[in-house]
Amino acid sequence: MLFIVGRIEENEKEKNRVKLKEVNQLAVFEFSESLNVFLAYMSGIRSYLKSADDFPSQQELFDFAQYHLRDLDSRDSLVISYLNKNHRFIYSFDRNRIDPSDLVSLSVRDLRDELEIERLDELMKDEEFHLFPPINLVEGWVGLPLNFSVIRDNEAIGYIAAILRSESLIESIYKQDISNEFIFSFQVGDEIYFDREMVHDSTKVYHPRVDSSFVKNYATNESDFLYSDIELYGLPFKIGTAYKKNATYATNLDLLTYGWFIMLFLFGLNAFYRINKYRKLNTSLDMTLQSLNYQHSLLNKKNKELEESNNTKDKIFSIIGHDLKAPLSSIQSIIELMQNQTLSKADSKKMMLSLEPVVVNASGLLERLLKWSMINTNKLEVKPEVVKLKELNEEIIKLLQVSANQKNISIISNIDATISVYADYNMISFIIRNIVSNALKFSKEGSEIQISSEVVESEKVVVSIKDQGVGMSQNQLDQLFQIGNRKIKIGTMGEKGSGLGLVMVQEFASQNSININVESQVGQGTIFNLSIPSC
């Protein structure tokens, strides 16, 4: 009989060990996910800095960071700083204010020891993200720094140091129901403990607040903890979990033992009791399993939505930058000519007249792209409508006319005014703009680009874009719409083209049921044939 009681006790211990392991894994997952969201936000900052032609001012970087936070619907508390190669603060702001704690012009050498300064020097040798141990900030809270170098003209000019409050990283763990039963330990390495209020490493503490859930507030032994060691962005973490009280493995063993002896005299009731007990246990285990499966599916869904949202934002930034580059380059070229005073008054007036439609069309294009990006913040959705092909084509030609004039290229349009197609307006506009822009890059001076249309079926319209440019080999045609192994291609006047825009062309075409056929020979020009649904 005592053997049976011992088995029940061992089963209870095993169940508690399994639960402790599951809770520890959940804590590791929540902590890692919070760091990944922080990294996704900082990836947007890094992409913005790399794509900007001129390094942004403090106000411009602050405005972009605030917009990006609103885009992620994030309420995390963080501080972002830009420091030069000598570790001096140049910019600094939190989510609400610029330079909230008078850090600008101070040096990190006043806040960090020489070992940390050496590591900061090392991070400027690449563009990867680097995590640093948590610190107690003068702003009144503990934060975890994530840094990356700033590269301009292939040389590091400094780095961005973003510090996220530790409460934002671990608060989601304490919001779980399990926090009433378990305690958690957060360490960097084996020596540095941190919680939601401070770092416990004997460094200076800037505020008197304490975290009531700090692990050392509980009378637990080291052997009671289950630890997981993980490394995130170059920094080792140790996350521990333990029960707040020693798990009770058997409820009043003496009473249970007497109960077993009594049940020996109750004959059939003994069997009924045991069957009923294990039935309830199985039901409880089934409910627990269902709950864990449901939580797992929710976590997977959240992770997938975050990944889709980040991919969508990257595409939208690429589209806006790609479509505005050509008109802005044309405007810049005209301004430089006028500043150099190499033009007569008549030529200057002519240039100003040609500049007006470019500015108007670029402004309209930017407004539409921004509205489109706000509508499609979380996912690029296809919204087909009736599009008058001739009007769309004329708008694109106006936008690219200055670029064509610079190379004395004629864009000849033979689009029937009665033809309409059924597609997403912004996507079909992007497709045709990209193809015509590429034709301009790789066409010779004094040549022609012809745009024509033909109704080949009752439900299809073929738009042909033909140039007299340098053409492509069969190998180039085979890799035209592939994103891997892309190389910078140089146009006939030194224009740079990566071909990434054609990857978006292929994706948008697929989403709008548009078939693309490309014909080309080296030195003989290229023809893009777009088969578009008509209406």
Side-chain angles (χ1 to χ4, degrees), residues 330-344:
S330 299
I331 294 170
Q332 183 181 4
S333 297
I334 292 175
I335 291 174
E336 287 177 354
L337 284 173
M338 296 177 69
Q339 285 178 336
N340 292 332
Q341 297 180 354
T342 59
L343 300 176
S344 64

Side-chain angles (χ1 to χ4, degrees), residues 230-505:
I230 58 175
E231 181 170 319
L232 298 170
Y233 311 110
L235 193 64
F237 291 89
K238 188 173 184 180
I239 300 179
T241 310
Y243 285 92
K244 285 189 175 180
K245 296 180 180 179
N246 290 331
T248 303
Y249 304 119
T251 306
N252 202 333
L253 291 179
D254 291 339
L255 183 60
L256 184 62
T257 302
Y258 286 124
W260 275 99
F261 282 110
I262 292 174
M263 282 188 288
L264 288 175
F265 298 98
L266 298 178
F267 301 106
L269 291 179
N270 179 39
F272 173 78
Y273 172 80
R274 291 169 62 187
I275 292 173
N276 188 54
K277 179 178 179 179
Y278 286 112
R279 182 182 294 128
K280 290 181 178 179
L281 179 60
N282 287 334
T283 301
S284 176
L285 290 174
D286 288 340
M287 292 179 64
T288 300
L289 180 60
Q290 292 176 8
S291 176
L292 289 174
N293 288 336
Y294 176 70
Q295 292 181 14
H296 182 68
S297 65
L298 288 180
L299 290 173
N300 285 338
K301 181 180 179 182
K302 179 180 178 182
N303 189 47
K304 185 176 181 181
E305 289 175 350
L306 178 61
E307 182 177 356
E308 289 179 353
S309 177
N310 286 334
N311 289 337
T312 298
K313 290 174 181 63
D314 290 341
K315 290 177 182 178
I316 289 174
F317 280 126
S318 298
I319 291 166
I320 292 176
H322 186 281
D323 280 358
L324 289 179
K325 187 174 183 179
L328 289 179
S329 296
S330 299
I331 294 170
Q332 183 181 4
S333 297
I334 292 175
I335 291 174
E336 287 177 354
L337 284 173
M338 296 177 69
Q339 285 178 336
N340 292 332
Q341 297 180 354
T342 59
L343 300 176
S344 64
K345 291 184 177 180
D347 289 337
S348 296
K349 184 176 181 180
K350 185 178 179 180
M351 283 290 185
M352 289 299 294
L353 291 175
S354 66
L355 185 62
E356 181 180 2
V358 176
V359 174
V360 172
N361 281 278
S363 177
L365 173 62
L366 176 59
E367 182 178 358
R368 287 196 304 275
L369 287 173
L370 289 177
K371 288 182 180 178
W372 186 54
S373 66
M374 287 187 289
I375 293 172
N376 294 282
T377 297
N378 294 318
K379 186 176 182 181
L380 288 176
E381 295 182 1
V382 181
K383 297 182 179 180
E385 59 182 295
V386 176
V387 179
K388 292 185 180 297
L389 201 54
K390 184 176 180 63
E391 293 180 4
L392 174 64
N393 192 57
E394 290 176 349
E395 179 183 305
I396 292 172
I397 292 176
K398 288 180 181 179
L399 194 64
L400 300 176
Q401 190 61 57
V402 173
S403 296
N405 292 341
Q406 290 174 345
K407 299 178 73 172
N408 195 25
I409 295 175
S410 299
I411 303 178
I412 301 173
S413 176
N414 295 313
I415 301 294
D416 192 330
T418 63
I419 294 179
S420 297
V421 294
Y422 190 66
D424 184 292
Y425 184 91
N426 287 290
M427 290 185 178
I428 187 66
S429 178
F430 176 85
I431 291 171
I432 297 176
R433 278 198 313 273
N434 186 275
I435 295 174
V436 176
S437 178
N438 283 343
L440 287 170
K441 286 179 187 176
F442 300 104
S443 288
K444 301 175 182 177
E445 291 188 63
S447 61
E448 292 183 351
I449 297 174
Q450 296 181 4
I451 307 174
S452 60
S453 64
E454 180 184 3
V455 179
V456 295
E457 299 176 11
S458 59
E459 297 180 353
K460 290 287 183 178
V461 172
V462 173
V463 175
S464 296
I465 303 170
K466 180 180 179 181
D467 64 53
Q468 300 171 341
V470 297
M472 290 178 282
S473 66
Q474 186 60 47
N475 184 53
Q476 288 174 317
L477 284 173
D478 292 339
Q479 299 181 12
L480 194 59
F481 298 110
Q482 297 179 12
I483 195 168
N485 300 319
R486 305 212 65 87
K487 297 180 179 179
I488 299 298
K489 298 177 181 178
I490 305 302
T492 56
M493 288 186 65
E495 307 98 323
K496 292 183 179 180
S498 65
L500 292 176
L502 287 175
V503 177
M504 294 302 301
V505 164

Side-chain angles (χ1 to χ4, degrees), residues 10-21:
E10 283 301 315
N11 288 340
E12 289 295 321
K13 288 181 179 179
E14 181 60 25
K15 184 173 75 172
N16 280 281
R17 281 193 292 266
V18 170
K19 186 175 182 181
L20 181 63
K21 183 177 180 180

